[in-house]
Structure formats: C-alpha cells, structure tokens
Amino acid sequence: MSVRRPQAAVRRELELLYRSRYPDFVRVATAITESNPGGIDAVQEAFTQALSALGRYRHEAPLEAWVWRIVVNAALAQRRGNREVGQPERLEAASKNGTGPDRSGVRTWIANLPERQRLAVFLRYYADLDYRSIAVTLGVEVGTVSATLNAAHTALRSSLTEVPND
C-alpha cells in the first residue's frame, strides 16, 4: 500500500512529469488521435483533467501510470470526436504514428492492429513504459499486457516481407 503524499507534493510531481515527458505524451496521443494537433489537444485536456482530479488520485499506482491512463482516454475521446465531425478515419500513415516518412511501412502495420494491441505498442515503444505501467494505463493485468504485446509482435512479424538485396 502506498503512502499518501500531500497534495502540494503530488501537484509538483505532476508538473515535473508534464515538463519531462511532454514529448512522449504528445507522441503517443498523436499516434492515437491520428493527428498532431489532436494529440496536443488531448495532452492539454488530459493534464487539465489530472489537475482537477488530483484529489481523487489514490496513490495505488505510480502517478505517471495514472496520468498515462488519462492521456490515453483523452486521446481516444479526441479521436472519436474527430470522426464525429467528419474527419477521415485514417490519416496518411506517415503523419499519424510519429514523424517523418514511413518508408518501411511499419506505422501502417501498427495502424492496422486491433486497438488494445496498438495502444500497448504505443505505450511500450513510443513512451517506453514498463509492463506494469502499461497494465495500469490500460486497466488490465500485467499478463494481459504481455499477451497483447506478444500478439502484436506476431501480427507485425507476419506483415514483414523480405527486402531484396539489389
């Protein structure tokens, strides 16, 4: 059981988390929302929600995992909102899951994974979260994270094609 810290200390920790991990939050939220502006909006919304809900943070999980859950939920809500106003369901793969061109097609393959697998991949490889933090973020058991990432790896592996040596 975690020791409950004073709210001022948790607020400072939240601020430090925002400053130190902002690029990671935006990268994952952008991948989920399928747009950079949507990702930025989702992160801003998530931190607004986190500040408002700080009194409800129960200290049962690390603050970062709690915040990641809020960021993922805000990004998913942002994506649903984008679709409701008629934006396309999928943007060009190169702009959605990171920056730069997608010469290898990996981002396209990730985009085609089922949602839980896609979220687990984003959190593991874009945010560098450990399995426990991913489990807290997604609201599942650690074993489920392991199985989900294994299924994602298997699906991605099957998508790979041999590149001929010229």
Side-chain angles (χ1 to χ4, degrees), residues 2-69:
S2 295
V3 176
R4 194 168 190 90
R5 296 183 311 266
Q7 189 163 347
V10 177
R11 185 179 297 271
R12 282 191 301 274
E13 186 180 347
L14 182 65
E15 181 181 346
L16 180 62
L17 183 62
Y18 179 83
R19 291 174 188 265
S20 65
R21 296 295 305 265
Y22 180 78
D24 298 324
F25 289 123
V26 170
R27 184 176 25 242
V28 171
T30 295
I32 293 169
T33 63
E34 303 175 349
S35 82
N36 190 51
I40 291 169
D41 288 349
V43 171
Q44 297 304 318
E45 176 62 27
F47 273 86
T48 300
Q49 290 175 18
L51 275 171
S52 297
L54 213 48
R56 293 190 306 269
Y57 171 58
R58 293 179 286 180
H59 305 267
E60 294 171 352
L63 179 65
E64 183 174 358
W66 181 74
V67 170
W68 273 110
R69 185 174 206 163

Side-chain angles (χ1 to χ4, degrees), residues 71-136:
V71 169
V72 167
N73 287 337
L76 290 169
Q78 176 76 26
R79 186 180 72 197
R80 282 189 297 273
N82 288 347
R83 289 183 182 160
E84 288 173 7
V85 294
Q87 292 187 2
E89 184 169 325
R90 299 244 185 249
L91 298 179
E92 183 181 326
S95 67
K96 145 172 84 175
N97 296 335
T99 60
D102 185 22
R103 290 184 184 98
S104 65
V106 171
R107 287 188 226 135
T108 301
W109 299 333
I110 292 171
N112 290 321
L113 292 172
E115 185 168 89
R116 186 186 311 184
Q117 290 178 20
R118 199 170 49 250
L119 293 175
V121 167
F122 293 154
L123 293 169
R124 179 69 190 111
Y125 299 108
Y126 287 30
D128 197 29
L129 295 184
D130 60 27
Y131 282 31
R132 181 173 181 265
S133 295
I134 295 170
V136 170

